[in-house]
Amino acid sequence: MFLANEIGKMYSEIESYNGDFGDPIVDTFSFDPWTYLERNDLSEFERRGVMVALLVILMTAIDNSTYEDALMSDWGIRALALMGSETVKVYPLFTDALKAFDQSEDEFLSALRTIYSEWVQPVTKG
């Protein structure tokens, strides 16, 4: 229940900021997305929420430095390594967001808008 509550809070905050994934959204959850990413016991809502949290962390890294610094950070390198993972291949929107992160800040922002409209808004407007 803890994870689902934090994801709901994060989604509500993303909605409050009109789809912005950066600061201050990162402060709405305390879980480490890496801890949950490979787990098989998550609901669809939780799995997507964990992926959204990872994207929030990447966007926050850009907000707090530069795109180039975020790309080369431990978080950025680790996130890009996920692109070949079987876990994320099941979620093409997430894979697309990671690929966009690797391309440019503008591409990443565009991919986040898609995640927002496809994953976040259906929950917050539901």
Side-chain angles (χ1 to χ4, degrees):
M1 196 58 145
F2 156 79
L3 181 62
N5 287 342
E6 287 204 10
I7 291 167
K9 185 175 166 187
M10 175 181 63
Y11 279 15
S12 293
E13 195 73 0
I14 291 170
E15 183 65 38
S16 294
Y17 282 87
N18 298 312
D20 184 3
F21 279 56
D23 275 335
I25 311 305
V26 75
D27 294 328
T28 63
F29 60 92
S30 61
F31 63 88
D32 175 13
W34 296 106
T35 304
Y36 291 94
L37 197 59
E38 299 293 329
R39 287 185 44 176
N40 294 323
D41 62 339
L42 300 180
S43 69
E44 185 70 13
F45 172 76
E46 290 169 328
R47 181 154 316 281
R48 287 181 178 186
V50 165
M51 292 178 191
V52 169
L54 186 88
L55 297 173
V56 165
I57 289 169
L58 294 176
M59 190 65 234
T60 300
I62 293 170
D63 285 350
N64 291 326
S65 60
T66 67
Y67 165 74
E68 291 77 17
D69 288 343
L71 187 64
M72 300 311 296
S73 71
D74 288 342
W75 274 99
I77 292 166
R78 195 171 177 190
L80 292 177
L82 285 174
M83 285 193 283
S85 161
E86 289 301 317
T87 302
V88 299
K89 285 182 183 176
V90 177
Y91 297 90
L93 290 179
F94 183 66
T95 303
D96 290 348
L98 293 176
K99 287 177 183 175
F101 174 71
D102 193 30
Q103 293 171 353
S104 72
E105 183 175 352
D106 288 340
E107 291 293 322
F108 187 51
L109 289 169
S110 178
L112 292 180
R113 293 305 298 172
T114 302
I115 294 283
Y116 172 62
S117 66
E118 297 288 324
W119 287 3
V120 176
Q121 278 191 316
V123 172
T124 58
K125 300 289 187 191

